[in-house]
Amino acid sequence: MAEDVAVGTVRDLVTASESGAPPELRDAVEVRPHGIAGDRYHRGGGTFQLDACAVTLVAAEALDAVREETGIDVSDGRHRRNVVVAGFGAGMDDLLDATVAVGEALLRPTRRRPPCAHVEELAGADGLAAALKRRGGLCCDVLEPGRVAVGDRVELREADPRTAGAAIAERLQSRSADGTRSADSDESTRSDPHGE
């Protein structure tokens, strides 16, 4: 395993048994193929079922920043995201389309999960949606189910294709700058219609 692999930790786990039900902090959960056992979306009872996420992640750093900036403390789970992850920064955009191991489960974050007025209403905290804008978390598909517990390791297993491609391009540019690649090789790379 590479030394520069991004690693974090599960800080909190949150479920709600049905739409509008208060959030419940959990020590451990079972991630199933279509969500977390006992959570409203796994049961088919979430408010936004048509746009549901199997599992949602949010950055601990984002929730900490909201508390520092606004005084709104949602560490009791009122943010209504399933897994609070520390160690990847407030936005976590680097995890989009990557493969991420969370405890025993393997997830693929597919899109941002912006906050909405409904979350703010359920939390009873005016300004929460605005405070979480651009850091409201990520929706994830479940690649492999498994148990997740507070304190578990969170690890980037495979970067998303864009990041991986950018890293390859950067290495190739470095070689070119060092003079280790031939001019013909550089020219063929530049003329490749699929190169980026």
Side-chain angles (χ1 to χ4, degrees), residues 8 12 40-42 59 85 98 111 114 129 135 138 145 152 158 170 190:
D12 293 307
R40 63 206 182 279
Y41 287 109
H42 184 257
V85 175
R111 66 187 188 276
R135 52 189 178 191
L138 303 175
D152 276 355
E158 291 179 25
E170 187 175 313
R190 283 193 296 271

Side-chain angles (χ1 to χ4, degrees), residues 76-136:
D76 58 0
R78 290 180 298 145
H79 49 77
R80 304 188 78 79
R81 303 302 185 253
N82 299 127
V83 184
V84 180
V85 175
F88 292 96
M92 297 199 309
D93 280 356
D94 289 346
L95 299 184
L96 282 170
D97 296 321
T99 303
V100 183
V102 182
E104 296 174 357
L106 203 57
L107 306 177
R108 172 153 298 140
T110 58
R111 66 187 188 276
R112 292 186 187 106
R113 187 67 170 173
C116 62
H118 185 63
V119 167
E120 188 169 298
E121 179 183 326
L122 290 175
D126 290 341
L128 178 60
L132 282 174
K133 188 177 180 181
R134 298 186 189 275
R135 52 189 178 191

Side-chain angles (χ1 to χ4, degrees), residues 14-24 38 40 45 47 77-78 80 118 122:
V14 181
T15 60
S17 59
E18 58 189 43
S19 180
E24 181 181 342
R40 63 206 182 279
T47 298
R78 290 180 298 145
R80 304 188 78 79
H118 185 63
L122 290 175

Side-chain angles (χ1 to χ4, degrees), residues 175-190:
R175 287 184 191 166
S176 178
D178 292 343
T180 56
R181 297 187 67 213
S182 70
D184 293 338
S185 177
D186 286 343
E187 185 58 41
S188 66
T189 300
R190 283 193 296 271

